Amino acid sequence: MDVIYHEKSKQFHLCNEKISYIIGIMQNGEPGQLYFGKRVHDREDYSYLINHEIRAMVVGDSSDESFSLEMNKREYPSFGTSDYRLPAFELLYDNGSHVSDLRFVSHSIRRGKPSLEALPAVYTENEDEAATLELLLRDELTGIEMILSYTIMRDHPVIARNVRFVNKGKEEVSIERCMSLSLDLPDHDYVWMQFSGAWGREKTPVEKKLDSGITAIGSLRGHSSANQNPFVILKRPDTDESRGEAIGAALVYSGNFLTQAEVDTYGATRLMTGIHPERFSWRLKKDESFQTPEALLVWTEDGLNDLSQNLHRLYRKRLSRGAWKEKERPVLLNNWEATLMDFTEESVLKIAEKGKEAGVELFVLDDGWFGKRNDDFAGLGDWYVNTDKLPHGIRGLADKIHGMGMMFGLWFEPEMVNADSDLYRAHPDWILAAPGRERSLGRHQMVLDMSKDEVQDYLYERMHAIISEARIDYVKWDMNRTISECYSLGREAAEQGKTYHRFILAVYRLYERLIADFPELLFESCASGGSRLDAGMLYYAPQAWGSDDTDAVERLKIQYGTSYGYPISSVGAHVSECPNMQTGRISSIATRGNVSFFGTGGYELDLNKLGDDEFEQVKEQIVFLKKYRGLIQSGNFYRLLSPFKDNYCAWMVVSEDKSEAVFAYYRILEEVNPGHRRVRLQGLDPDRLYRTRDEAYYGSELMNIGVEISAVPGKKDAPDGDFFSRIMVFES
Ligand code: DGJ
């Protein structure tokens, strides 16, 4: 891994074993994007990649009309001169001009990767793991400076980028748009993949062939959202799960975002991702600076499974932090679907005791333990225990759970308040609200203005007090509505364009303060399920509740879709009650377990209500989970059959050293007299002999001949029925 600087040509070559990223300072003084992709040989000069062609109607440079920005690939494009594509940034000066001209001044190359102030970012554990190039650009007319930062990782085919603006001029300037990355690609022979959905159906892969014009996704909801996710893939049309070239772009951010690809008149593609420019406006006073979030580019020529695995590895090892980042996640039992808010200390202890008997390691008390929280109309904001339900306090309950030998976890929704709460009665001005206007409600609640220090301090004090007093081991941090009327009461008009970004910065800050105080605490982020499952959150909470849809069949799609961008260890997945609360569907406890294993694993039901046979199965599942979760949560995950395309879903995880694998397949509806189906496994060592329960096969057999998954008439006494599943372990 290296950053090579060619002084004569003013070109920079960032490379590791797999990828090259080449930047050249162009004749107008701005950095041009010369190449990104598979590693190429280094050379002194790649200027042949800079375009000099005079074409009709193309606007060129004042001193050399053969050089047009529109015809070239740019690193961080502006708008307003000779390029008509959408820009990466836009600055509004006090005289009303939007035209900027930032030119290269100097560069620095250093080992390692600097952290970003107040923002999540990939990190290194020692300096040899990465190299960072910083390009300093300056606008001589206005004094605005910009630092474009690029890190190449040694062990990952990844480039991390961010931008910092510094106002070294005399006047204020307003940043109206500031993407975290912009990447101009020479062609558009790509299929764009986004991960879309809604509450309860998160991260459905949607594919579109790029063509002339703009393809874009984003969120203006105040969180990254279940509707779109700040992660996209551009893959070649013939790329599939196991073959072909693809680029992934992820924004390490949890607020409003925009990700777009613009295909121009000449067939080039401009990919960018960053804070959504709508409702964003950041006044920068003299000597102030603004830091964009980080964005990541990942590249592969080995298909989408490889792309995902690279991101999974990076997120597990160098984005998630703290005691739990690579630790096996505890088998959890959450009371939410079992009791909703209708519980007492006695009733939750009964559920917990049964969990203990089954082998559960962490009991989590969900919503309803505080204030007058008996339904979702009241109580949010009042983070004081409800002693009608819990007469001995959280401490009393936690002590009993700890006494049983389990960890204890608690639910919070810090960012919200109900009108019916003591907090709102005391501080009606602590919410986000447009002056003089009605405020919209979501789940009967309002959003706190997290950017106010007094709000943040109140939440910090309350959470800190409860966590320390009850010695809490795990926090589920929920967020159950999107932001509306995003106005910070009491701040001047010119500051309002900062409110969305300030909100998420404040959420990050609150996490950071609690992490500093309680380094052993396991955080699970949640936003009505997967509405804030993004790379930014993984920096604070190594796992996130995947979806409020706990139906095993639905979860196949949600977990399959989520796996494109996020590791198995980051996806909360529980066995819940049947008929399922969201779908009314009845599936076997075996299939529910076989789905939840491919997440953090856990339960969300009253185990006392199970029959003896089902309870015995739960005990066996937990034994299985404890034995194989290390492999499942840290191995290489392969998608084999997509539930979006087939009556079957299949996936597997292979340990890094290829000595073990867990393979699972799921048949959604029973088939009568079906055709024969085999699925070929992936990622194994072809020369190794792998044992299953009653046979042994070479990796080459499993990967080329495959495993039979269709029903075989005559081999069984009765049909398996719908929602059948099977897990096979291969050990060598
Ligand atoms: C939404 C979460 O996704 C659920 O798991 C549960 O915690 C509820 N909120 C509680 O209100």
Side-chain angles (χ1 to χ4, degrees):
M1 161 219 59
D2 212 346
V3 178
I4 305 162
Y5 176 50
H6 295 291
E7 199 168 353
K8 227 162 111 208
S9 59
K10 284 206 187 139
Q11 291 176 3
F12 303 89
H13 186 174
L14 295 86
C15 49
N16 64 21
E17 273 179 17
K18 291 195 171 155
I19 58 172
S20 284
Y21 191 106
I22 304 171
I23 302 165
I25 305 303
M26 300 189 292
Q27 66 188 65
N28 71 332
E30 74 164 74
Q33 164 33 241
L34 301 189
Y35 174 75
F36 172 54
K38 188 175 171 122
R39 164 90 196 235
V40 293
H41 281 91
D42 185 52
R43 64 188 289 155
E44 168 63 38
D45 194 346
Y46 300 89
S47 297
Y48 66 91
L49 292 168
I50 297 176
N51 187 286
H52 285 274
E53 256 182 293
I54 298 189
R55 295 221 191 173
M57 292 303 287
V58 168
V59 177
D61 205 52
S62 61
S63 56
D64 172 8
E65 278 196 50
S66 78
F67 177 76
S68 166
L69 291 175
E70 182 170 16
M71 302 294 290
N72 275 293
K73 292 187 274 124
R74 306 169 72 189
E75 270 306 309
Y76 200 65
S78 58
F79 181 84
T81 57
S82 60
D83 182 358
Y84 296 89
R85 296 166 287 185
L86 283 174
F89 76 99
E90 194 173 338
L91 303 177
L92 174 60
Y93 300 97
D94 272 354
N95 63 6
S97 168
H98 284 82
V99 177
S100 294
D101 184 6
L102 283 112
R103 298 183 181 209
F104 174 73
V105 176
S106 62
H107 78 276
S108 73
I109 296 170
R110 61 167 104 166
R111 312 302 296 169
K113 181 174 189 295
S115 55
L116 296 193
E117 201 192 327
L119 281 162
V122 163
Y123 57 89
T124 53
E125 286 191 348
N126 69 63
E127 298 231 308
D128 296 336
E129 288 179 10
T132 298
L133 166 69
E134 288 191 344
L135 301 179
L136 172 66
L137 276 57
R138 182 179 302 133
D139 188 335
E140 290 303 340
L141 186 67
T142 60
I144 301 298
E145 289 188 355
M146 191 193 270
I147 294 115
L148 305 182
S149 169
Y150 302 81
T151 297
I152 182 150
M153 304 293 288
R154 183 190 59 198
D155 304 326
H156 309 267
V158 167
I159 301 280
R161 290 184 53 179
N162 71 77
V163 181
R164 199 161 71 248
F165 293 84
V166 188
N167 186 354
K168 292 265 179 77
K170 293 192 184 71
E171 288 169 14
E172 285 190 18
V173 65
S174 183
I175 306 173
E176 300 292 293
R177 179 184 182 98
C178 55
M179 293 291 114
S180 295
L181 80 77
S182 177
L183 177 67
D184 283 355
L185 295 160
D187 68 81
H188 67 281
D189 194 18
Y190 290 105
V191 174
W192 156 286
M193 279 182 88
Q194 65 190 48
F195 300 89
S196 308
W199 172 88
R201 58 177 167 85
E202 291 87 343
K203 300 186 185 60
T204 301
V206 176
E207 298 187 6
K208 297 169 191 174
K209 177 82 183 73
L210 284 190
D211 211 335
S212 177
I214 293 172
T215 307
I217 54 160
S219 168
L220 287 169
R221 294 166 194 268
H223 58 28
S224 49
S225 91
N227 311 71
Q228 304 293 355
N229 190 264
F231 169 60
V232 300
I233 297 173
L234 293 186
K235 60 171 185 166
R236 295 298 189 186
D238 56 357
T239 293
D240 61 22
E241 291 290 358
S242 46
R243 255 164 247 106
E245 190 186 348
I247 297 170
L251 186 66
V252 188
Y253 187 63
S254 314
N256 288 352
F257 76 94
L258 172 70
T259 303
Q260 75 178 36
E262 177 175 3
V263 177
D264 71 13
T265 325
Y266 305 102
T269 301
R270 174 169 290 172
L271 173 68
M272 55 177 69
T273 185
I275 295 177
H276 204 302
E278 182 69 35
R279 298 305 151 94
F280 173 85
S281 171
W282 198 278
R283 294 289 290 175
L284 209 56
K285 296 195 181 118
K286 191 172 167 335
D287 293 326
E288 281 183 351
S289 64
F290 179 80
Q291 172 66 60
T292 72
E294 173 161 286
L296 304 169
L297 284 171
V298 54
W299 180 89
T300 185
E301 60 177 343
D302 296 322
L304 300 180
N305 275 325
D306 186 66
L307 187 95
S308 300
Q309 287 163 13
N310 278 308
L311 271 184
H312 294 180
R313 213 171 289 126
L314 179 75
Y315 289 178
R316 280 198 324 262
K317 292 180 182 294
R318 294 293 181 264
L319 179 61
S320 292
R321 298 174 297 166
W324 286 96
K325 68 170 201 167
E326 289 204 86
K327 230 190 196 166
E328 294 179 9
R329 302 300 158 70
V331 181
L332 159 173
L333 173 61
N334 177 305
N335 74 311
W336 177 245
E337 288 202 9
T339 65
L340 300 178
M341 296 179 205
D342 186 15
F343 58 81
T344 59
E345 180 180 290
E346 204 185 337
S347 68
V348 291
L349 282 172
K350 264 202 200 127
I351 297 173
E353 272 156 18
K354 198 66 177 172
K356 176 67 194 168
E357 190 186 332
V360 164
E361 296 161 310
L362 162 66
F363 179 78
V364 179
L365 183 64
D366 210 280
D367 193 357
W369 57 267
F370 50 89
K372 293 204 198 81
R373 187 75 168 165
N374 298 315
D375 54 37
D376 50 21
F377 285 88
L380 281 177
D382 295 342
W383 301 108
Y384 295 90
V385 68
N386 178 330
T387 45
D388 293 340
K389 293 185 190 178
L390 303 173
H392 306 102
I394 288 291
R395 174 68 195 263
L397 177 63
D399 281 353
K400 289 179 186 111
I401 301 287
H402 286 141
M404 289 180 210
M406 286 189 288
M407 293 185 278
F408 179 69
L410 196 61
W411 181 96
F412 287 91
E413 192 178 0
E415 299 147 67
M416 301 292 158
V417 66
N418 284 117
D420 186 3
S421 68
D422 293 340
L423 185 73
Y424 184 65
R425 281 182 283 273
H427 302 287
D429 56 335
W430 277 14
I431 58 165
L432 292 172
R437 304 205 179 273
E438 294 288 316
R439 65 243 173 320
S440 315
L441 291 175
R443 207 196 185 194
H444 329 296
Q445 62 199 50
M446 296 170 290
V447 185
L448 288 171
D449 184 352
M450 296 290 289
S451 71
K452 292 201 161 91
D453 285 347
E454 54 276 31
V455 174
Q456 163 106 207
D457 289 345
Y458 164 77
L459 294 169
Y460 169 72
E461 184 281 318
R462 282 291 74 222
M463 292 178 83
H464 181 100
I466 295 161
I467 295 166
S468 61
E469 198 223 325
R471 291 180 288 129
I472 285 168
D473 306 289
Y474 158 110
V475 164
K476 179 175 173 185
W477 182 316
D478 209 342
M479 184 209 190
N480 285 303
R481 66 156 290 183
T482 48
I483 295 178
S484 59
E485 292 89 26
C486 189
Y487 187 97
S488 185
L489 295 167
R491 286 192 207 271
E492 58 187 78
E495 292 291 292
Q496 296 300 334
K498 298 181 175 177
T499 309
Y500 276 114
H501 184 56
R502 276 190 167 140
F503 181 91
I504 197 68
L505 289 180
V507 171
Y508 289 154
R509 183 159 161 256
L510 184 54
Y511 261 109
E512 201 67 64
R513 289 169 84 179
L514 293 168
I515 288 169
D517 295 346
F518 306 104
E520 302 294 320
L521 194 62
L522 172 60
F523 281 100
E524 176 155 341
S525 76
C526 173
S528 290
S531 293
R532 210 155 59 179
L533 204 179
D534 54 59
M537 268 298 142
L538 294 183
Y539 187 68
Y540 305 93
Q543 61 189 60
W545 182 221
S547 176
D548 272 353
D549 188 345
T550 60
D551 176 276
V553 178
E554 297 278 295
R555 270 302 188 115
L556 288 176
K557 289 185 176 167
I558 294 165
Q559 289 171 213
Y560 197 94
T562 304
S563 77
Y564 281 93
Y566 303 96
I568 301 307
S569 59
S570 71
V571 187
H574 302 164
V575 171
S576 65
E577 199 169 85
C578 274
N580 177 269
M581 200 178 252
Q582 292 78 32
T583 60
R585 186 177 282 135
I586 297 176
S587 58
S588 67
I589 196 96
T591 288
R592 281 176 272 159
N594 289 346
V595 176
S596 81
F597 294 154
F598 291 86
T600 53
Y603 293 82
E604 187 157 334
L605 74 172
D606 185 350
L607 295 170
N608 293 294
K609 292 190 182 157
L610 297 183
D612 292 347
D613 177 48
E614 281 189 327
F615 186 66
E616 281 312 306
Q617 287 188 58
V618 168
K619 281 169 124 175
E620 282 166 25
Q621 286 175 348
I622 294 179
V623 170
F624 176 88
L625 194 52
K626 287 178 180 169
K627 185 161 178 202
Y628 293 107
R629 64 184 162 187
L631 159 60
I632 294 174
Q633 292 165 12
S634 70
N636 285 321
F637 182 78
Y638 290 85
R639 292 173 295 270
L640 302 174
L641 291 177
S642 167
F644 294 101
K645 297 188 182 142
D646 206 320
N647 189 33
Y648 287 85
C649 170
W651 52 42
M652 67 185 293
V653 184
V654 185
S655 61
E656 281 286 350
D657 67 1
K658 300 187 184 220
S659 65
E660 295 179 285
V662 180
F663 160 66
Y665 69 89
Y666 310 83
R667 187 175 55 240
I668 295 158
L669 295 180
E670 174 63 301
E671 296 172 329
V672 177
N673 194 16
H676 292 286
R677 288 286 298 269
R678 302 187 81 87
V679 60
R680 291 173 171 186
L681 306 197
Q682 291 188 31
L684 301 170
D685 177 347
D687 301 322
R688 248 182 229 247
L689 197 60
Y690 291 92
R691 290 185 315 278
T692 62
R693 199 182 290 183
D694 36 38
E695 266 295 356
Y697 305 94
Y698 281 103
S700 62
E701 294 178 83
L702 295 166
M703 292 194 291
N704 294 303
I705 300 172
V707 175
E708 166 86 46
I709 57 167
S710 46
V712 185
K715 277 204 181 164
K716 59 186 179 184
D717 310 330
D720 294 315
D722 295 340
F723 323 128
F724 172 78
S725 65
R726 189 162 172 224
I727 296 239
M728 294 169 80
V729 176
F730 295 94
E731 284 165 323
S732 63

